[in-house]
Amino acid sequence: MQSEASPHTVTAKARLQWEIFLVALAFFTRIPIPKDTPYSADRLNKANRYFGLVGCLIGTISAAVYLLAVQCFPANIAIGFAIVASLLITGAFHEDGLADVFDGFGGGWTVEQKLDIMKDSRLGTYGAAALIMMLTFKWLALSELAELNKLLPAIALFTLHGLSRICAASLIFSYPYVRADQNSKVKPLANQQSPYDLWVLIFTGCFILLLLPLALATALVLTLGLTRYGCGLWFKQQLGGYTGDCLGATQQLSELAGYLVILAFFTT
């Protein structure tokens, strides 16, 4: 007869998962974590299972900023505060990836040229245009949602900050990584994903979707699935796989696509 797991074993496993979550939190945000949190490349790879959960936390903070600001300011101004809050929390981590991808793909002819441009810390015309359009469309979509119901932007922020990171992180499972960590100008990247990690991401996504009407949840799954598929094909064609910047771009494109789906759902 198999003995039950000892409390010490359960506690140790729970602590390990908590520490892996903290690694994910440190990777994606500027939120401080305990200095004695163990770190390794293996733990960073395992941390990708919690990227969706970290996204939910970012979305919660951003939504809370919006709900507080809308008590004092017009909704479109409150949405501006919420977007700024998400930029400050993440250090514009994903926006930087979006800009790098558009600069690299727009300005490079060969894979090597594209990767070199993406490593460059300077912002080019393609990247600047992509950033301006992305932030503008997110602000417009959320502002239109606020016209329908002032609670909708908060719901959208929580939902899409989580789902978009799940969408982006899941690319790790399906495509090869094409840049060595030592050549990247950003932090080391989680570039391996086990089936268990993927299932944790999917479970997190299902939990988020269960909070929504079935028709809206279905529309989001289809749209984000198509966005993920399209981004994967785009990166494979351009680079032969993905980089950390590609994951950031996927998160941004997925977030915007999700806002537009929610807007269309409530206006039709």
PDB file of all heavy atoms in Angstrom, residues 199-222:
ATOM      1  N   TRP A 199       0.400  22.524 -20.304  1.00  0.00           N
ATOM      2  CA  TRP A 199      -0.910  22.247 -19.713  1.00  0.00           C
ATOM      3  C   TRP A 199      -1.233  23.207 -18.581  1.00  0.00           C
ATOM      4  O   TRP A 199      -2.401  23.576 -18.387  1.00  0.00           O
ATOM      5  CB  TRP A 199      -0.984  20.802 -19.234  1.00  0.00           C
ATOM      6  CG  TRP A 199      -1.307  19.843 -20.333  1.00  0.00           C
ATOM      7  CD1 TRP A 199      -0.500  18.881 -20.869  1.00  0.00           C
ATOM      8  CD2 TRP A 199      -2.543  19.774 -21.065  1.00  0.00           C
ATOM      9  NE1 TRP A 199      -1.139  18.217 -21.886  1.00  0.00           N
ATOM     10  CE2 TRP A 199      -2.398  18.737 -22.033  1.00  0.00           C
ATOM     11  CE3 TRP A 199      -3.743  20.470 -21.009  1.00  0.00           C
ATOM     12  CZ2 TRP A 199      -3.414  18.406 -22.922  1.00  0.00           C
ATOM     13  CZ3 TRP A 199      -4.755  20.150 -21.901  1.00  0.00           C
ATOM     14  CH2 TRP A 199      -4.585  19.118 -22.830  1.00  0.00           C
ATOM     15  N   VAL A 200      -0.232  23.643 -17.831  1.00  0.00           N
ATOM     16  CA  VAL A 200      -0.477  24.652 -16.793  1.00  0.00           C
ATOM     17  C   VAL A 200      -0.939  25.954 -17.435  1.00  0.00           C
ATOM     18  O   VAL A 200      -1.873  26.615 -16.956  1.00  0.00           O
ATOM     19  CB  VAL A 200       0.776  24.881 -15.933  1.00  0.00           C
ATOM     20  CG1 VAL A 200       0.571  26.056 -14.970  1.00  0.00           C
ATOM     21  CG2 VAL A 200       1.122  23.625 -15.139  1.00  0.00           C
ATOM     22  N   LEU A 201      -0.289  26.336 -18.538  1.00  0.00           N
ATOM     23  CA  LEU A 201      -0.706  27.529 -19.277  1.00  0.00           C
ATOM     24  C   LEU A 201      -2.150  27.388 -19.756  1.00  0.00           C
ATOM     25  O   LEU A 201      -2.969  28.306 -19.613  1.00  0.00           O
ATOM     26  CB  LEU A 201       0.208  27.748 -20.483  1.00  0.00           C
ATOM     27  CG  LEU A 201       1.579  28.368 -20.236  1.00  0.00           C
ATOM     28  CD1 LEU A 201       2.406  28.321 -21.524  1.00  0.00           C
ATOM     29  CD2 LEU A 201       1.447  29.807 -19.750  1.00  0.00           C
ATOM     30  N   ILE A 202      -2.477  26.234 -20.340  1.00  0.00           N
ATOM     31  CA  ILE A 202      -3.825  26.011 -20.861  1.00  0.00           C
ATOM     32  C   ILE A 202      -4.853  26.051 -19.729  1.00  0.00           C
ATOM     33  O   ILE A 202      -5.937  26.641 -19.876  1.00  0.00           O
ATOM     34  CB  ILE A 202      -3.887  24.662 -21.611  1.00  0.00           C
ATOM     35  CG1 ILE A 202      -3.047  24.737 -22.897  1.00  0.00           C
ATOM     36  CG2 ILE A 202      -5.335  24.291 -21.940  1.00  0.00           C
ATOM     37  CD1 ILE A 202      -2.897  23.406 -23.610  1.00  0.00           C
ATOM     38  N   PHE A 203      -4.529  25.439 -18.606  1.00  0.00           N
ATOM     39  CA  PHE A 203      -5.440  25.450 -17.459  1.00  0.00           C
ATOM     40  C   PHE A 203      -5.686  26.877 -16.986  1.00  0.00           C
ATOM     41  O   PHE A 203      -6.826  27.253 -16.670  1.00  0.00           O
ATOM     42  CB  PHE A 203      -4.858  24.608 -16.315  1.00  0.00           C
ATOM     43  CG  PHE A 203      -5.702  24.622 -15.065  1.00  0.00           C
ATOM     44  CD1 PHE A 203      -6.810  23.798 -14.953  1.00  0.00           C
ATOM     45  CD2 PHE A 203      -5.390  25.464 -14.010  1.00  0.00           C
ATOM     46  CE1 PHE A 203      -7.602  23.822 -13.806  1.00  0.00           C
ATOM     47  CE2 PHE A 203      -6.168  25.495 -12.864  1.00  0.00           C
ATOM     48  CZ  PHE A 203      -7.278  24.668 -12.758  1.00  0.00           C
ATOM     49  N   THR A 204      -4.634  27.687 -16.931  1.00  0.00           N
ATOM     50  CA  THR A 204      -4.788  29.092 -16.537  1.00  0.00           C
ATOM     51  C   THR A 204      -5.705  29.816 -17.506  1.00  0.00           C
ATOM     52  O   THR A 204      -6.581  30.584 -17.098  1.00  0.00           O
ATOM     53  CB  THR A 204      -3.416  29.791 -16.490  1.00  0.00           C
ATOM     54  OG1 THR A 204      -2.526  29.064 -15.644  1.00  0.00           O
ATOM     55  CG2 THR A 204      -3.560  31.221 -15.962  1.00  0.00           C
ATOM     56  N   GLY A 205      -5.509  29.561 -18.799  1.00  0.00           N
ATOM     57  CA  GLY A 205      -6.366  30.179 -19.800  1.00  0.00           C
ATOM     58  C   GLY A 205      -7.813  29.757 -19.653  1.00  0.00           C
ATOM     59  O   GLY A 205      -8.728  30.586 -19.791  1.00  0.00           O
ATOM     60  N   CYS A 206      -8.054  28.491 -19.384  1.00  0.00           N
ATOM     61  CA  CYS A 206      -9.425  27.993 -19.196  1.00  0.00           C
ATOM     62  C   CYS A 206     -10.093  28.656 -18.009  1.00  0.00           C
ATOM     63  O   CYS A 206     -11.284  29.004 -18.058  1.00  0.00           O
ATOM     64  CB  CYS A 206      -9.412  26.478 -19.019  1.00  0.00           C
ATOM     65  SG  CYS A 206      -8.994  25.551 -20.513  1.00  0.00           S
ATOM     66  N   PHE A 207      -9.340  28.856 -16.944  1.00  0.00           N
ATOM     67  CA  PHE A 207      -9.891  29.525 -15.758  1.00  0.00           C
ATOM     68  C   PHE A 207     -10.331  30.941 -16.106  1.00  0.00           C
ATOM     69  O   PHE A 207     -11.418  31.381 -15.714  1.00  0.00           O
ATOM     70  CB  PHE A 207      -8.851  29.562 -14.633  1.00  0.00           C
ATOM     71  CG  PHE A 207      -9.279  30.364 -13.443  1.00  0.00           C
ATOM     72  CD1 PHE A 207     -10.171  29.856 -12.523  1.00  0.00           C
ATOM     73  CD2 PHE A 207      -8.798  31.655 -13.254  1.00  0.00           C
ATOM     74  CE1 PHE A 207     -10.587  30.602 -11.428  1.00  0.00           C
ATOM     75  CE2 PHE A 207      -9.199  32.414 -12.171  1.00  0.00           C
ATOM     76  CZ  PHE A 207     -10.096  31.884 -11.255  1.00  0.00           C
ATOM     77  N   ILE A 208      -9.499  31.665 -16.856  1.00  0.00           N
ATOM     78  CA  ILE A 208      -9.857  33.028 -17.261  1.00  0.00           C
ATOM     79  C   ILE A 208     -11.118  33.006 -18.123  1.00  0.00           C
ATOM     80  O   ILE A 208     -12.044  33.796 -17.926  1.00  0.00           O
ATOM     81  CB  ILE A 208      -8.695  33.687 -18.032  1.00  0.00           C
ATOM     82  CG1 ILE A 208      -7.455  33.815 -17.133  1.00  0.00           C
ATOM     83  CG2 ILE A 208      -9.104  35.062 -18.559  1.00  0.00           C
ATOM     84  CD1 ILE A 208      -6.199  34.224 -17.879  1.00  0.00           C
ATOM     85  N   LEU A 209     -11.162  32.097 -19.081  1.00  0.00           N
ATOM     86  CA  LEU A 209     -12.278  32.041 -20.023  1.00  0.00           C
ATOM     87  C   LEU A 209     -13.584  31.662 -19.344  1.00  0.00           C
ATOM     88  O   LEU A 209     -14.664  32.077 -19.776  1.00  0.00           O
ATOM     89  CB  LEU A 209     -11.961  31.052 -21.149  1.00  0.00           C
ATOM     90  CG  LEU A 209     -10.839  31.477 -22.100  1.00  0.00           C
ATOM     91  CD1 LEU A 209     -10.411  30.315 -22.976  1.00  0.00           C
ATOM     92  CD2 LEU A 209     -11.282  32.662 -22.959  1.00  0.00           C
ATOM     93  N   LEU A 210     -13.510  30.869 -18.262  1.00  0.00           N
ATOM     94  CA  LEU A 210     -14.724  30.476 -17.545  1.00  0.00           C
ATOM     95  C   LEU A 210     -15.422  31.665 -16.904  1.00  0.00           C
ATOM     96  O   LEU A 210     -16.606  31.579 -16.558  1.00  0.00           O
ATOM     97  CB  LEU A 210     -14.384  29.436 -16.473  1.00  0.00           C
ATOM     98  CG  LEU A 210     -14.107  28.015 -16.980  1.00  0.00           C
ATOM     99  CD1 LEU A 210     -13.618  27.135 -15.847  1.00  0.00           C
ATOM    100  CD2 LEU A 210     -15.354  27.413 -17.629  1.00  0.00           C
ATOM    101  N   LEU A 211     -14.723  32.773 -16.741  1.00  0.00           N
ATOM    102  CA  LEU A 211     -15.314  33.961 -16.152  1.00  0.00           C
ATOM    103  C   LEU A 211     -16.122  34.767 -17.155  1.00  0.00           C
ATOM    104  O   LEU A 211     -16.793  35.733 -16.790  1.00  0.00           O
ATOM    105  CB  LEU A 211     -14.203  34.853 -15.563  1.00  0.00           C
ATOM    106  CG  LEU A 211     -13.294  34.203 -14.503  1.00  0.00           C
ATOM    107  CD1 LEU A 211     -12.194  35.163 -14.093  1.00  0.00           C
ATOM    108  CD2 LEU A 211     -14.105  33.766 -13.292  1.00  0.00           C
ATOM    109  N   LEU A 212     -16.062  34.368 -18.437  1.00  0.00           N
ATOM    110  CA  LEU A 212     -16.697  35.125 -19.515  1.00  0.00           C
ATOM    111  C   LEU A 212     -17.913  34.393 -20.068  1.00  0.00           C
ATOM    112  O   LEU A 212     -18.033  33.179 -19.904  1.00  0.00           O
ATOM    113  CB  LEU A 212     -15.690  35.358 -20.648  1.00  0.00           C
ATOM    114  CG  LEU A 212     -14.372  36.037 -20.283  1.00  0.00           C
ATOM    115  CD1 LEU A 212     -13.445  36.039 -21.481  1.00  0.00           C
ATOM    116  CD2 LEU A 212     -14.625  37.456 -19.783  1.00  0.00           C
ATOM    117  N   PRO A 213     -18.818  35.110 -20.747  1.00  0.00           N
ATOM    118  CA  PRO A 213     -19.908  34.435 -21.458  1.00  0.00           C
ATOM    119  C   PRO A 213     -19.338  33.441 -22.470  1.00  0.00           C
ATOM    120  O   PRO A 213     -18.281  33.692 -23.065  1.00  0.00           O
ATOM    121  CB  PRO A 213     -20.639  35.587 -22.157  1.00  0.00           C
ATOM    122  CG  PRO A 213     -20.289  36.805 -21.366  1.00  0.00           C
ATOM    123  CD  PRO A 213     -18.900  36.582 -20.847  1.00  0.00           C
ATOM    124  N   LEU A 214     -20.037  32.346 -22.684  1.00  0.00           N
ATOM    125  CA  LEU A 214     -19.531  31.275 -23.538  1.00  0.00           C
ATOM    126  C   LEU A 214     -19.227  31.766 -24.953  1.00  0.00           C
ATOM    127  O   LEU A 214     -18.194  31.428 -25.532  1.00  0.00           O
ATOM    128  CB  LEU A 214     -20.545  30.123 -23.590  1.00  0.00           C
ATOM    129  CG  LEU A 214     -20.166  28.929 -24.481  1.00  0.00           C
ATOM    130  CD1 LEU A 214     -18.856  28.302 -24.016  1.00  0.00           C
ATOM    131  CD2 LEU A 214     -21.292  27.903 -24.490  1.00  0.00           C
ATOM    132  N   ALA A 215     -20.113  32.564 -25.518  1.00  0.00           N
ATOM    133  CA  ALA A 215     -19.908  33.041 -26.894  1.00  0.00           C
ATOM    134  C   ALA A 215     -18.663  33.912 -26.991  1.00  0.00           C
ATOM    135  O   ALA A 215     -17.896  33.809 -27.955  1.00  0.00           O
ATOM    136  CB  ALA A 215     -21.139  33.821 -27.366  1.00  0.00           C
ATOM    137  N   LEU A 216     -18.452  34.771 -26.008  1.00  0.00           N
ATOM    138  CA  LEU A 216     -17.261  35.626 -26.006  1.00  0.00           C
ATOM    139  C   LEU A 216     -16.008  34.797 -25.808  1.00  0.00           C
ATOM    140  O   LEU A 216     -14.986  35.015 -26.483  1.00  0.00           O
ATOM    141  CB  LEU A 216     -17.374  36.689 -24.915  1.00  0.00           C
ATOM    142  CG  LEU A 216     -16.161  37.605 -24.736  1.00  0.00           C
ATOM    143  CD1 LEU A 216     -15.811  38.313 -26.041  1.00  0.00           C
ATOM    144  CD2 LEU A 216     -16.422  38.619 -23.616  1.00  0.00           C
ATOM    145  N   ALA A 217     -16.051  33.842 -24.885  1.00  0.00           N
ATOM    146  CA  ALA A 217     -14.900  32.975 -24.648  1.00  0.00           C
ATOM    147  C   ALA A 217     -14.525  32.213 -25.918  1.00  0.00           C
ATOM    148  O   ALA A 217     -13.345  32.093 -26.269  1.00  0.00           O
ATOM    149  CB  ALA A 217     -15.199  32.001 -23.511  1.00  0.00           C
ATOM    150  N   THR A 218     -15.534  31.713 -26.615  1.00  0.00           N
ATOM    151  CA  THR A 218     -15.292  30.979 -27.865  1.00  0.00           C
ATOM    152  C   THR A 218     -14.658  31.880 -28.917  1.00  0.00           C
ATOM    153  O   THR A 218     -13.710  31.492 -29.605  1.00  0.00           O
ATOM    154  CB  THR A 218     -16.607  30.395 -28.404  1.00  0.00           C
ATOM    155  OG1 THR A 218     -17.186  29.533 -27.419  1.00  0.00           O
ATOM    156  CG2 THR A 218     -16.362  29.600 -29.678  1.00  0.00           C
ATOM    157  N   ALA A 219     -15.170  33.102 -29.036  1.00  0.00           N
ATOM    158  CA  ALA A 219     -14.623  34.052 -30.007  1.00  0.00           C
ATOM    159  C   ALA A 219     -13.171  34.392 -29.684  1.00  0.00           C
ATOM    160  O   ALA A 219     -12.325  34.514 -30.587  1.00  0.00           O
ATOM    161  CB  ALA A 219     -15.468  35.324 -30.028  1.00  0.00           C
ATOM    162  N   LEU A 220     -12.867  34.524 -28.412  1.00  0.00           N
ATOM    163  CA  LEU A 220     -11.483  34.829 -28.013  1.00  0.00           C
ATOM    164  C   LEU A 220     -10.552  33.662 -28.311  1.00  0.00           C
ATOM    165  O   LEU A 220      -9.426  33.860 -28.792  1.00  0.00           O
ATOM    166  CB  LEU A 220     -11.437  35.176 -26.520  1.00  0.00           C
ATOM    167  CG  LEU A 220     -11.910  36.577 -26.142  1.00  0.00           C
ATOM    168  CD1 LEU A 220     -12.017  36.711 -24.630  1.00  0.00           C
ATOM    169  CD2 LEU A 220     -10.984  37.644 -26.704  1.00  0.00           C
ATOM    170  N   VAL A 221     -11.011  32.443 -28.030  1.00  0.00           N
ATOM    171  CA  VAL A 221     -10.176  31.270 -28.313  1.00  0.00           C
ATOM    172  C   VAL A 221      -9.860  31.192 -29.800  1.00  0.00           C
ATOM    173  O   VAL A 221      -8.710  30.970 -30.198  1.00  0.00           O
ATOM    174  CB  VAL A 221     -10.883  29.980 -27.838  1.00  0.00           C
ATOM    175  CG1 VAL A 221     -10.167  28.745 -28.376  1.00  0.00           C
ATOM    176  CG2 VAL A 221     -10.929  29.928 -26.316  1.00  0.00           C
ATOM    177  N   LEU A 222     -10.871  31.383 -30.630  1.00  0.00           N
ATOM    178  CA  LEU A 222     -10.662  31.300 -32.083  1.00  0.00           C
ATOM    179  C   LEU A 222      -9.740  32.410 -32.567  1.00  0.00           C
ATOM    180  O   LEU A 222      -8.808  32.170 -33.346  1.00  0.00           O
ATOM    181  CB  LEU A 222     -12.009  31.382 -32.800  1.00  0.00           C
ATOM    182  CG  LEU A 222     -12.948  30.184 -32.619  1.00  0.00           C
ATOM    183  CD1 LEU A 222     -14.298  30.459 -33.261  1.00  0.00           C
ATOM    184  CD2 LEU A 222     -12.324  28.915 -33.201  1.00  0.00           C
TER     185      LEU A 222
END
